[in-house]
Amino acid sequence: MILNGSSDVFAVWGCPVKHSASPPMHNAALEHCGINGVYVPFEVQPDHLAAAVAGVRALGIRGVNVTVPHKEAVVPFLDALTPEAEHLGAVNTLYWDNGLLCGDTTDGRGYIAALRSCNLVPVAGATVVVLGAGGSARSVASALAGIGCKVVVANRTLAKAEGLLSLGASDIGGYDSPAVLRALADAALVVNTTTLGMSPNVGVIPEIDIDRLADNCVVSDLIYRPDRTELLMRAESRGLRVQNGLEMLVQQGAISFERWLGVSAPVHVMRQAVQESIQGGVK
Ligand code: NAP
């Protein structure tokens, strides 16, 4: 990649950001499409967020992905939001539209696209159980409700789960609540959006009994490192179909890429770059 005076700059902001697979994924896509640009990581401390947004405006940064802990905090600094981002109150993509710095959220659509890529999308009316009620649970639950699923949220902290009722969840509860136990027995899809299963909680699974799930239930996990969480390993050994979070990462990135550049994202190139960066141990 040869940069020159016309090169565009894209970025990802997080704190921490070192673990991000987005730079190799987007740089591979830029190169494959022959776009004169570069995608770089910035560790932005929470109290520097306003200055970072001012930097985007001052420097003409072409596009930004924002990740934990900035997805909600960045919203007040933007000029406009897509209806989906407005609904969630969170963004993961900053882009320019007619001189306005706008925010979009691509996680939910990325998650549905990932399921679709493996023919795993539940039919409208199917019960799905979302484990967790953090930022990614909000995107995923809202997207699943948006395609007509009956979404039941299980979370350790009930007060947090309550916030998902206004995003389309039809019921919430603790892991051993009657509502959640009923939904697990019925579920076409169970998705783990908690951090249980990734470092430092490798080997830990959310408190659900895999044996309660129906034989045709799909189990998905937003975690992609490790490749198979304990939850996915147990589901697989029960014969259930599983999907990890790698494809969601790729698909949400592809939607951001298209938002910035107006060209089709080379999804296969992005997927390969993420796989290589994970195998190569990008931390
Ligand atoms: P978050 O906002 O911090 O939410 C974390 C969730 O995990 C909360 O519901 C929390 O429950 C739960 N949790 C944490 N420790 C727990 C424990 N010991 N017992 C029970 N529940 C526990 O995190 P996030 O941003 O949603 O991210 C969640 C996961 O999704 C991360 O692993 C992240 O890497 C992954 N992710 C993947 C993608 C992708 O593209 N594949 C995209 C986004 C996120 P409480 O509410 O009770 O604290």
Side-chain angles (χ1 to χ4, degrees):
M1 183 185 321
I2 297 174
L3 300 177
N4 58 27
S6 311
S7 300
D8 280 323
V9 175
F10 302 84
V12 55
W13 300 344
C15 191
V17 77
K18 280 193 176 69
H19 64 283
S20 176
S22 292
M25 175 171 75
H26 282 287
N27 282 315
L30 290 168
E31 191 166 346
H32 178 85
C33 295
I35 290 162
N36 182 359
V38 64
Y39 183 108
V40 287
F42 290 111
E43 183 158 307
V44 175
Q45 298 295 327
D47 57 351
H48 289 161
L49 188 58
V53 178
V56 172
R57 298 179 190 277
L59 302 173
I61 305 282
R62 179 89 184 262
V64 181
N65 283 134
V66 294
T67 183
V68 178
H70 303 310
K71 288 182 178 183
E72 293 176 17
V74 77
V75 166
F77 302 114
L78 304 178
D79 300 324
L81 299 179
T82 59
E84 198 178 342
E86 185 88 54
H87 182 61
L88 278 180
V91 306
N92 72 343
T93 304
L94 311 190
Y95 67 100
W96 289 99
D97 185 15
N98 279 322
L100 297 180
L101 185 59
C102 305
D104 190 11
T105 174
T106 69
D107 282 336
R109 273 172 288 153
Y111 179 67
I112 301 293
L115 290 177
R116 187 165 295 124
S117 74
C118 292
N119 269 329
L120 297 176
V121 181
V123 296
T127 299
V128 305
V129 179
V130 174
L131 309 176
S136 58
R138 293 171 64 81
S139 303
V140 163
S142 169
L144 287 165
I147 60 166
C149 294
K150 179 179 173 241
V151 178
V152 177
V153 177
N155 198 44
R156 176 180 61 177
T157 310
L158 264 192
K160 248 185 176 172
E162 276 162 14
L164 278 86
L165 289 169
S166 62
L167 295 176
S170 53
D171 212 344
I172 60 160
Y175 286 95
D176 58 358
S177 65
V180 167
L181 294 179
R182 250 192 330 268
L184 284 170
D186 255 11
L189 170 71
V190 173
V191 48
N192 176 38
T193 73
T194 76
T195 49
L196 298 179
M198 68 184 283
S199 177
N201 293 312
V202 175
V204 182
I205 78 162
E207 288 170 41
I208 62 160
D209 181 357
I210 304 277
D211 292 331
R212 292 185 78 95
L213 305 179
D215 291 343
N216 59 355
C217 180
V218 172
V219 180
S220 107
D221 202 318
L222 300 201
I223 295 168
Y224 53 88
R225 199 165 24 206
D227 172 59
R228 286 284 182 273
T229 56
E230 184 68 23
L231 174 70
L232 293 193
M233 286 195 283
R234 289 201 200 171
E236 241 175 358
S237 68
R238 234 215 76 186
L240 305 182
R241 286 171 302 162
V242 303
Q243 184 181 53
N244 73 10
L246 190 143
E247 192 62 22
M248 172 182 173
L249 176 73
V250 171
Q251 297 288 346
Q252 61 78 30
I255 300 168
S256 296
F257 188 89
E258 289 170 4
R259 173 64 91 185
W260 294 324
L261 293 157
V263 298
S264 280
V267 171
H268 61 292
V269 171
M270 297 170 84
R271 186 181 298 120
Q272 190 180 339
V274 171
Q275 281 164 340
E276 283 171 5
S277 82
I278 290 173
Q279 281 155 13
V282 172
K283 298 274 187 262

